[in-house]
RNA sequence: GCUGAAGUGGUGGAAUUGGUAGACACGCUGGACUUAAAAUCCAGUGGUCAGUAAUGGCCGUGCGGGUUCAAGUCCCGCCUUCAGUACCA
């Protein structure tokens, strides 16, 4: 009987589905007999996004590897969890919906069907009873639930974990926020318990939002107009969107954010405990970007600062002003409505600057300032306003809202009875300079506080708020023009141009906190405003950028390193260098100096040790339809969580999937999207007039929401009452082996770790890292096929040149090679048609055969030119002009020959093209390795492979291609190797048409083959070296075929070894051997070393390290006996040519080396 | 620039702690079977030189050094490719 993969594979796939062979049980729950003793093992693939294109052969690579491992673990006696599902929310389905109006749920459903069919036919041992889909309400109910948990939590730095907000509130009630050590927004005003209790509910909610782990905030986001949504940092590549490559701009929006920064240190520390690939860990470390150093404060020298009234704001502040004027608060707007109507002398302006202070309203004619109270620097403002001759009035928000008319009348009163205050000229300078000296300081973060004595200047970002305040008159023009110039450059330009050094001197000086020396203050756009404090202390001798800047502007470069030459470049190396010229730090090494510097700073009070992270909080809102809705409604503008018992909040139906006309997200199109807080359900928007009905959140969650916890759901996938039961979470704990692509390094894998740690803090999950071991499978690349088209010129009968745009001559690959190799010959043929073969052979020393070949081809081409109506082709000594186009790889056979008919049918424009073929009529393409993609016509569909060669062949071949982690090209031609291996295997069990397996005892030779295989395959699987075990199987089958072995003792265990790789054929032969049960949980054969023991070794005999011949010697010989035997050998004597060996090295069982 | 990975026949790739480089497979060449093709089977296949041949010599793991009896493997210095990241103070 012939091996028929089609029947066998169908039969066993049906068998597995019917018998639920791979269903994993939760023993604690089900108390399945015998399962309790089995150790658990959880193998997971990164679940796929079901795209419309279906799978190509690159996709299953990781699934095959994990499937082999899962099946192997079953043979090894583990209770294996190996689930699969779909990350089914996402952009492509929505884009498709926008284009066609089809509901994304529908296309997603269809795509999933295709995926499932494709996955099934490859024979994966997934437990489909646990399938999850992120877009199904039963699943996202729990995504919403986790969101609520995050909302109700804050990060306590003292306990270093997330805790309940309820506990935080009780602290606020009792003692205010002074004792709370939380990860929260910057600049939270401190309040006492009395103040807290006096706050309105809304004010309290506003404050709490600043602590919650997920919070609403106005954040600068990456807005992608083409996609109509914001993108996370990791969704942007080189300034454009990862998906689609559309431009991205910075924009301020109110968004949900996740306080992932709270977990920065723990995310970093956790990396030490997990077995993940080094590069992946490295990119997470980069992304988190921890830098340890110190915050240092430099005071600004008062000497050169001009008077405050001349101060102009920086352009950044001016921009901010414009925005402020447009966005007045409710109280501000009410008051402005009244004030702006005042005519004549009492004309008010809003949001105006007086000196460096921003005032709410001012009437310049009457010298009256009107402000809202509650500003931090009220005392300083009062002092300055008085000194500048202003009267001022202050009101609270509440006063204005309650009775604006009373407020206005009070203002009128002040105008009427204002006492003109004399400006005290003599006094003013004194007051001003005193306040200034203490007012202006520059905070910097440095990772090298040990080099602080090397500071010779400071650099501020041009946008830094101090710039305008400290710039001297003399430098004003310079600074202004520099600021204007930088402002014009986009962020991308600034990033792209690293080489140009630019900057400007402000004229101001800072005081070195240790030495008291004056240090120049510069501005330069190499300093980024939104990183750190937007200012650096420049140490030119130790930092290359500072060095270049100093060199460029002729700023001194003090050397603070002992015995280091810094005349050419900065010395950035920290280890092994001693600090010099640095007061109390001199003579110390990096580490000691660093600690001492921080210690001194803290003692003297102008600095402290600090750790900075690059990791920013993650924006969690997307202006999209096809994602998880938030369980959130808005009451009085403040977000409210819907109680978890009313979850899931199901995605509403919409007319169209685009943003609304007034720019709201697509959910703004929904008509049934309001929350009835009395009846606890989603109702029609028409009811929004009711006092108990509120608008629901219009944003949806990002793609990473659903994928950040799905691995936990698989443990108890159908649980309707819980996220997952505690018992199943405690049993399965974490993923033991996680396989997926490296593109998720900083997205999915970082966010998932963050959520896992959060859920761990809250006691939901038992472990704080979700995957013990992770492997990145390498990409499978496509082997594209190219056809070359002639693009040179012809010579017409009248000797005119003619281009070839409408003539199509296609060259087979080796034709091009021949022409390129002999271009000069062609040129000669063309130039001197009378030249004889002998002349050519003599002139160019080429073989006669080549000349014939060249001449034939020349004739063909000449004929062709004539046929097209030309005299000949224009030959050129240097180049043959051709252009290459992709040909679909499905038209190309294993010998790189193109199916011309198929090609012509595919590309109509080449129907009447001329094909210059090989002598045998074949047409060859040239091949190149590229990424597998539709546009390159090199996509190979696994369906075709499975139909032609079978799933077992596909599985073996994908593994055989090379190491799992490595990128490698796909070439379908190679699959015949594994295919014929399976046929050979089949033949071991058959005698012609009859299944025939002998019960005889196996010979030691046969046992040796088997046990070698057991040993190697087991080692390989444990090391995830799947490619080498495929070779091992081939060697075994070749060996057994040579031995003519058909003994059960060998052939039965062989099937178990093979079954993880080629499960269908193994099951089939296993059952033909008379076994009734599936092979899937049969014990893995045990390796026995005794079968490998040899009595003799074929020793390689080397001379000076070079192997000359081999010599078979018994293994039980002593060193002396081996030496004697080798030296007596005639070949040795011949090699030595009479010389005496200087030394003989003998490694018994390994090698003999003779040094002569 | 920095970080990480990797450079081995025509191709994909093997090679334990340093110990016979090129396993296994594709492709190619030759042969068997066939009217023919496909399929299958057998043999050969790193380069080069010598020899009718058996066989033998030399060179060979990106480049240049080094350690060692012995280096694809270890050390030093370069080059190239791929991936990630980037004015991160």
């Amino acid at each position: 009987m012939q091996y028929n993969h089609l029947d066998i594979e169908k039969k066993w796939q049906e068998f597995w589905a019917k018998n639920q062979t791979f269903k994993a049980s939760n023993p604690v729950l089900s108390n399945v007999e015998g399962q309790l003793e089995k150790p658990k093992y959880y193998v997971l693939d990164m679940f796929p996004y079901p795209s419309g294109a279906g799978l190509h052969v690159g996709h299953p690579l990781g699934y095959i590897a994990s499937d082999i491992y899962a099946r192997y673990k079953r043979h090894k006696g583990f209770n294996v969890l190996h689930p699969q599902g779909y990350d089914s929310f996402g952009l492509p389905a929505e884009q498709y919906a926008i284009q066609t109006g089809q509901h994304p749920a529908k296309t997603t459903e269809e795509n999933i069907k295709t995926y499932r069919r494709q996955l099934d036919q490859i024979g994966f041992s997934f437990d489909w009873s646990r399938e999850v889909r992120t877009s199904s309400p039963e699943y996202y109910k729990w995504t919403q639930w986790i969101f609520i948990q995050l909302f109700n939590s804050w990060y306590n730095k003292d306990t270093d974990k997330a805790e309940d907000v309820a506990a935080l509130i009780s602290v606020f009630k009792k003692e205010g926020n002074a004792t709370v050590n939380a990860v929260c927004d910057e600049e939270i005003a401190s309040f006492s318990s009395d103040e807290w209790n006096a706050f309105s509910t809304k004010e309290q909610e506003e404050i709490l939002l600043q602590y919650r782990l997920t919070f609403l905030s106005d954040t600068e986001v990456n807005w992608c107009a083409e996609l109509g949504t914001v993108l996370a940092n990791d969704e942007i590549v080189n300034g454009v969107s990862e998906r689609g490559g559309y431009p991205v701009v910075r924009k301020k929006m109110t968004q949900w954010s996740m306080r992932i920064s709270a977990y920065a240190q723990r995310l970093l520390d956790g990396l030490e405990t997990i077995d993940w690939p080094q590069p992946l860990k490295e990119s997470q470390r980069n992304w988190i970007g921890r830098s340890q150093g110190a915050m240092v404060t430099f005071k600004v020298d008062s000497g050169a600062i001009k008077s405050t009234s001349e101060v102009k704001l920086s352009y950044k502040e001016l921009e901010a002003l414009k925005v402020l004027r447009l966005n007045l608060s409710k109280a501000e707007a009410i008051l402005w409505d009244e004030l702006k109507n005042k005519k004549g002398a009492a004309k008010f302006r809003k949001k105006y600057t007086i000196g460096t202070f921003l005032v709410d309203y001012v009437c310049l004619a009457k010298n009256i300032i009107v402000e809202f109270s509650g500003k931090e620097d009220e005392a300083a403002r009062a002092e300055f306003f008085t000194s500048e001759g202003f009267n001022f009035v202050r009101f609270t928000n509440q006063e204005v809202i309650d009775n604006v008319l009373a407020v206005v009348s009070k203002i009128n009163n002040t105008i009427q009875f204002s006492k003109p205050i004399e400006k005290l000229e003599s006094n003013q300078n004194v007051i001003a300079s005193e306040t200034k000296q203490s007012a202006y300081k520059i905070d910097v973060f440095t990772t090298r506080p040990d080099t602080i004595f090397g500071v010779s200047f400071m650099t501020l970002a041009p946008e830094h708020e101090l710039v305008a305040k400290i710039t001297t008159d003399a430098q004003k023009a310079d600074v202004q023009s520099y600021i204007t110039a930088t402002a014009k450059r986009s962020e991308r330009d600034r990033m792209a141009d690293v080489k140009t050094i630019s900057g400007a001197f402000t004229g101001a000086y800072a005081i070195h906190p240790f030495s008291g020396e004056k240090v120049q203050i510069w501005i330069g756009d190499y300093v980024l405003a939104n990183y750190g404090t937007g200012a650096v202390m420049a140490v030119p001798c130790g930092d290359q950028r500072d060095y270049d800047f100093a060199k460029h502007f002729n700023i001194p470069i003090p050397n603070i390193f002992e015995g280091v030459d810094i005349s050419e470049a900065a010395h950035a190396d920290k280890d092994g260098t001693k600090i010099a010229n640095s007061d109390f730090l001199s003579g110390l090494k990096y580490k000691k100096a660093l600690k001492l510097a921080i210690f001194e700073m803290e003692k003297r009070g102008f600095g402290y040790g600090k750790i900075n992270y690059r990791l920013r909080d993650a924006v969690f809102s997307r202006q999209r339809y096809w994602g998880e809705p938030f369980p959130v409604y808005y009451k009085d503008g403040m977000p409210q969580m819907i109680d978890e018992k009313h979850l899931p909040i199901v995605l509403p139906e919409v007319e169209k999937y685009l943003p609304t006309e007034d720019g709201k997200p697509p959910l703004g199109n929904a008509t049934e999207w309001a929350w009835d807080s009395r009846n606890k359900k989603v109702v029609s928007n028409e009811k929004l007039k009711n006092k108990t009905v509120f608008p629901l959140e219009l944003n949806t969650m990002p793609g990473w929401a659903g994928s950040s916890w799905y691995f936990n759901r698989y443990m108890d996938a159908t649980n309707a009452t819980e996220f997952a039961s505690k018992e199943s979470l405690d049993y399965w704990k974490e993923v033991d082996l996680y396989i997926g692509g490296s593109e998720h390094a900083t997205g999915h894998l970082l966010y998932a770790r963050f959520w896992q740690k959060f859920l761990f803090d809250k006691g939901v999950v038992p472990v704080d890292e979700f995957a013990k071991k992770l492997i990145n499978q390498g990409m499978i690349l496509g082997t594209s096929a190219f056809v070359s088209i002639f693009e040179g010129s012809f010579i017409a009968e009248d000797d005119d040149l003619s281009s070839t745009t409408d003539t199509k001559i296609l060259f087979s690959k080796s034709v091009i090679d021949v022409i390129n190799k002999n271009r000069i010959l062609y040129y000669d043929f063309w130039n001197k048609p009378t030249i004889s073969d002998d002349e050519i052979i003599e002139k160019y020393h080429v073989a006669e055969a080549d000349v014939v070949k060249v001449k034939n081809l020349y004739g063909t081409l000449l004929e062709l030119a004539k046929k097209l109506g030309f005299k000949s082709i224009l030959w050129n000594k240097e180049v043959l002009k051709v252009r290459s186009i992709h040909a679909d790889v499905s038209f190309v056979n294993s010998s790189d020959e193109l199916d011309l008919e198929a090609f012509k049918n595919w590309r109509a424009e080449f129907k009447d093209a001329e094909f210059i073929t090989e002598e045998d009529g074949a047409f060859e393409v040239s091949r190149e390795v590229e990424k597998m993609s539709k546009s390159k016509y090199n996509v190979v569909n696994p369906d075709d492979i499975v139909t032609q060669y079978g799933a077992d062949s596909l599985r073996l071949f994908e593994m055989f291609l090379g190491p799992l982690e490595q990128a490698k090209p796909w070439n379908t031609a190679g699959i015949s190797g594994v295919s014929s291996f399976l046929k050979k295997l089949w033949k071991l069990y058959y005698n012609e048409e009859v299944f025939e397996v002998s019960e005889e005892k196996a010979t030691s030779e046969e046992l040796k083959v088997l046990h070698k295989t057991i040993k190697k395959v087991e080692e390989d699987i444990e090391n995830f070296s799947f490619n080498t075990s495929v070779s091992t199987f081939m060697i075994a089958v070749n060996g057994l075929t040579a031995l003519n072995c058909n003994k059960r003792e060998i052939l039965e265990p062989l099937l178990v070894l093979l079954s993880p790789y080629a499960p269908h054929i193994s099951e089939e032969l296993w059952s033909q051997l008379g076994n009734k049960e599936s092979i899937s949980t049969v014990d893995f054969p045990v390796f026995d070393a005794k079968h490998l023991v040899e009595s003799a070794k074929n020793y390689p005999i080397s001379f000076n390290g070079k192997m000359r011949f081999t010599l078979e010697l018994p293994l039980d010989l002593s060193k002396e006996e081996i030496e004697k035997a080798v030296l007596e050998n005639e070949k040795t004597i011949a090699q030595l040519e009479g010389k005496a060996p200087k030394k003989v090295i003998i490694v018994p069982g390994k090698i003999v080396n003779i040094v002569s």
Side-chain angles (χ1 to χ4, degrees), chain A residues 779-807:
Chain A
M779 207 191 320
I780 289 191
L781 304 164
T783 314
S784 303
F786 290 94
V787 178
S788 300
I789 304 171
F790 180 64
E791 249 199 346
S793 302
F794 291 96
I795 295 178
E797 286 299 338
D798 56 4
D799 284 347
D800 268 354
L801 295 183
S802 179
S803 101
T804 57
T805 38
D806 55 350
T807 30

Side-chain angles (χ1 to χ4, degrees), chain A residues 208-496:
Chain A
L208 287 173
L209 264 184
Q210 298 181 302
Y211 289 87
R212 297 182 188 278
L213 283 182
T214 182
F215 57 99
L216 267 183
S217 69
D218 287 332
T219 25
E220 284 249 309
V221 295
N222 306 300
W223 173 254
C224 179
E226 305 283 331
L227 294 173
T229 192
V230 303
L231 299 172
N233 287 337
D234 59 272
E235 290 168 316
I236 300 161
V237 178
N238 298 327
V240 297
S241 65
E242 184 187 27
R243 204 175 269 278
Y246 303 116
V248 173
V249 294
R250 305 286 293 171
K251 189 178 170 185
K252 241 189 174 139
M253 288 175 84
T254 304
Q255 299 280 307
W256 284 104
S257 289
M258 290 275 165
R259 220 178 284 282
I260 187 174
S261 57
Y263 285 87
Q265 188 59 47
R266 282 170 65 192
L267 287 169
L268 213 48
D269 295 342
L271 291 174
E272 306 297 325
T273 66
I274 46 181
D275 182 7
W276 286 19
Q278 217 48 51
L280 196 159
K281 287 186 178 182
E282 207 50 47
S283 53
Q284 291 213 345
R285 282 193 197 107
N286 280 336
W287 199 258
I288 297 168
R290 181 188 203 265
S291 45
Q292 185 166 14
M295 286 294 294
V296 190
T297 304
F298 285 67
K299 283 183 182 162
V300 177
D301 183 42
S302 59
I305 297 174
K306 60 197 179 313
S307 86
T308 33
S309 48
E310 289 170 41
V311 167
K312 287 266 161 47
L313 295 181
S314 70
Y315 78 85
K316 191 186 174 193
E317 285 168 311
L318 286 171
E319 284 302 306
L321 257 186
K322 282 186 206 156
V323 176
L324 267 177
R325 284 186 189 131
L326 290 171
N327 300 314
L328 296 180
S329 74
K330 196 176 161 196
E332 285 171 337
I334 293 173
L335 186 55
W336 178 239
D337 269 350
E338 293 299 323
L339 291 181
K340 74 180 173 197
N341 296 328
K342 292 188 141 312
K343 302 247 158 54
K347 185 173 159 87
F348 275 86
R349 294 158 194 267
K350 61 179 170 181
K351 299 292 178 191
Y352 202 80
T353 53
I354 302 295
T356 58
F357 295 113
L358 173 67
V359 299
D360 294 327
Y361 310 97
V362 63
C363 173
L364 292 170
K366 296 283 178 186
N367 275 7
I368 296 273
I369 291 168
V370 178
E371 286 197 309
F372 286 94
S373 51
K375 295 186 169 61
E376 273 178 44
D377 46 355
E378 272 180 2
R381 299 171 82 97
E383 192 180 351
F384 179 69
F385 295 156
T386 314
S387 75
E388 292 285 308
F390 284 95
N391 280 299
F392 62 94
V393 222
R394 290 196 174 121
F395 302 100
T396 63
N397 277 343
Q398 212 54 42
E399 280 178 276
V400 173
I401 292 169
D402 289 349
N403 190 350
V404 70
L405 292 178
V407 169
V408 172
S409 96
K410 199 173 164 194
I411 294 172
N412 283 339
N413 215 28
T414 317
I415 294 173
Q416 246 167 336
F417 303 103
S418 69
K419 283 174 276 175
I421 298 166
E422 287 298 312
K423 278 197 184 179
L424 300 172
E425 291 293 334
S426 55
N427 256 354
Q428 201 207 340
N429 282 339
V430 180
I431 296 166
S433 64
E434 270 177 5
T435 46
K436 267 174 263 156
Q437 186 174 35
S438 50
Y440 297 143
K441 52 193 178 61
I442 300 170
D443 290 328
V444 296
F445 177 76
T446 174
T447 53
R448 296 291 307 272
D450 56 311
T451 63
I452 191 158
F453 284 94
V455 173
S456 64
F457 65 102
M458 309 200 64
T459 315
L460 307 184
E463 301 94 329
H464 198 283
E465 54 171 12
L466 265 187
V467 173
K469 296 173 185 169
I470 61 171
T471 303
T472 59
D473 291 344
Q475 293 303 114
K476 206 157 90 182
D478 266 11
V479 167
Q480 268 311 322
S481 69
Y482 183 66
I483 289 177
T484 323
T486 358
K488 275 187 199 147
R489 301 173 72 192
S490 71
E491 196 147 317
R492 271 193 89 183
D493 284 345
R494 274 171 71 173
M495 268 163 59

Side-chain angles (χ1 to χ4, degrees), chain A residues 664-711:
Chain A
K664 284 191 197 132
L667 289 193
N669 291 316
T671 50
E672 288 268 327
W673 197 237
W675 181 250
D676 183 336
S677 64
R678 186 172 300 164
N679 298 314
K680 310 290 185 199
K681 59 176 189 181
V682 176
V683 294
S684 160
N685 292 358
E686 285 164 19
K687 299 198 174 158
L688 274 173
K689 286 163 255 161
N690 295 355
K691 285 215 162 143
T692 54
V693 175
F694 302 99
L696 281 157
E697 169 74 57
L698 298 182
N699 289 301
T700 52
M701 298 188 195
W704 55 270
S707 59
S708 291
W709 70 279
Y710 75 111
F711 34 83

Side-chain angles (χ1 to χ4, degrees), chain A residues 821-889:
Chain A
K821 220 167 117 192
N822 303 292
R823 221 176 285 119
I824 198 139
L825 257 66
Y826 284 91
Y827 186 75
D828 267 10
F829 276 130
W830 174 65
N831 216 17
K832 294 181 270 181
T834 52
I835 194 162
S836 76
D837 291 5
D838 290 344
E839 276 176 82
I840 287 189
I841 291 166
E842 195 170 320
K843 192 168 164 194
Y844 299 111
H845 308 286
V846 287
E848 201 177 337
D850 283 351
V851 176
V852 172
K853 215 175 181 179
V854 167
K855 224 175 159 180
N856 284 342
L857 191 53
Y858 181 79
T860 313
L861 289 170
L862 201 63
E863 241 168 69
L864 194 61
K866 296 228 162 94
K867 194 171 148 196
L868 293 167
F870 299 102
K871 197 160 105 186
S872 98
I873 285 173
L874 174 69
W875 288 98
N876 180 313
K877 266 188 222 174
E878 280 76 41
V879 287
L880 172 75
K881 269 179 97 178
V882 289
R883 134 182 94 95
S884 291
I885 60 155
H886 279 100
D888 196 305
V889 289

